[in-house]
């Protein structure tokens, strides 16, 4: 059985004003809105990934990766892909962003597997990296 919208003439006789959503089933509107997780869960995941990566980087065998710390983790564009911002752990130390990204690229699989072991999700998020340079003052 199909649901038909009432005609405007009938609607006008029943109310003082006619609105665009008059005659629309409220259940239909609720279905179309979609289910979204609370942003709190996204912040929790990003914080957990940041803590995990910070610990893993400190224990890496590569000296360049050991000298990095995780500054921020944020969804890019959603929680299936995370943007990890790293910086030098040593204050005032100059780092080559290209070399850092190269080393992170080689270790990306290992880092992702460590993140997957630390979080409880069906799929581990993919990781994208960027390097935060120290302010030149």
């Amino acid at each position: 059985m199909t649901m038909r919208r009432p005609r405007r003439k009938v609607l006008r006789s029943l109310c003082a004003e006619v609105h665009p959503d008059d005659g629309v089933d409220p259940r239909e509107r609720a279905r179309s809105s979609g289910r979204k997780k609370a942003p709190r869960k996204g912040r929790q995941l990003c914080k957990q990934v940041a803590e995990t990566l910070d610990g893993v980087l400190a224990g890496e065998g590569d000296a360049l990766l050991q000298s990095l710390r995780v500054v921020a983790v944020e969804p890019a564009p959603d929680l299936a892909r995370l943007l990890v911002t790293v910086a030098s752990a040593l204050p005032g130390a100059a780092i080559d962003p290209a070399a850092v990204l190269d080393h992170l690229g080689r270790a990306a699989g290992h880092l992702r597997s460590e993140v997957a072991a630390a979080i409880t999700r069906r799929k581990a998020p993919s990781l994208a990296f960027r390097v935060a340079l120290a302010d030149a003052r």
Side-chain angles (χ1 to χ4, degrees):
M1 183 165 126
T2 61
M3 295 182 67
R4 293 176 38 179
R5 280 184 87 150
R7 295 180 183 244
R8 285 199 177 276
K9 192 185 300 183
V10 175
L11 286 176
R12 286 191 180 148
S13 67
L14 296 175
C15 63
E17 295 178 9
V18 178
H19 297 284
D21 62 345
D22 284 346
V24 177
D25 187 7
R27 293 174 295 183
E28 189 67 36
R29 191 176 4 180
R31 266 186 247 142
S32 66
S33 67
R35 297 176 109 180
K36 294 185 180 181
K37 288 190 176 182
R40 176 180 64 86
K41 290 292 185 183
R43 288 191 306 268
Q44 278 181 339
L45 175 68
C46 289
K47 182 179 178 184
Q48 190 176 12
V49 168
E51 290 171 354
T52 301
L53 286 176
D54 216 18
V56 171
L57 287 174
E60 280 292 313
D62 188 354
L64 181 61
L65 293 180
Q66 284 180 350
S67 69
L68 297 176
R69 66 180 173 88
V70 176
V71 176
V73 177
E74 52 198 37
D78 55 11
L79 294 175
R81 182 179 173 94
L82 299 177
L83 179 63
V84 180
T85 306
V86 296
S88 175
L90 308 170
I95 56 173
D96 179 26
V100 170
L101 291 176
D102 181 49
H103 285 253
L104 286 170
R106 282 190 260 138
H110 171 66
L111 296 174
R112 186 173 183 217
S113 67
E114 291 291 331
V115 166
I119 64 173
T120 307
R121 289 178 67 99
R122 190 176 357 168
K123 287 186 169 184
S126 60
L127 303 174
F129 297 97
R130 72 176 169 192
V131 178
L133 299 175
D135 294 334
R137 292 182 185 181

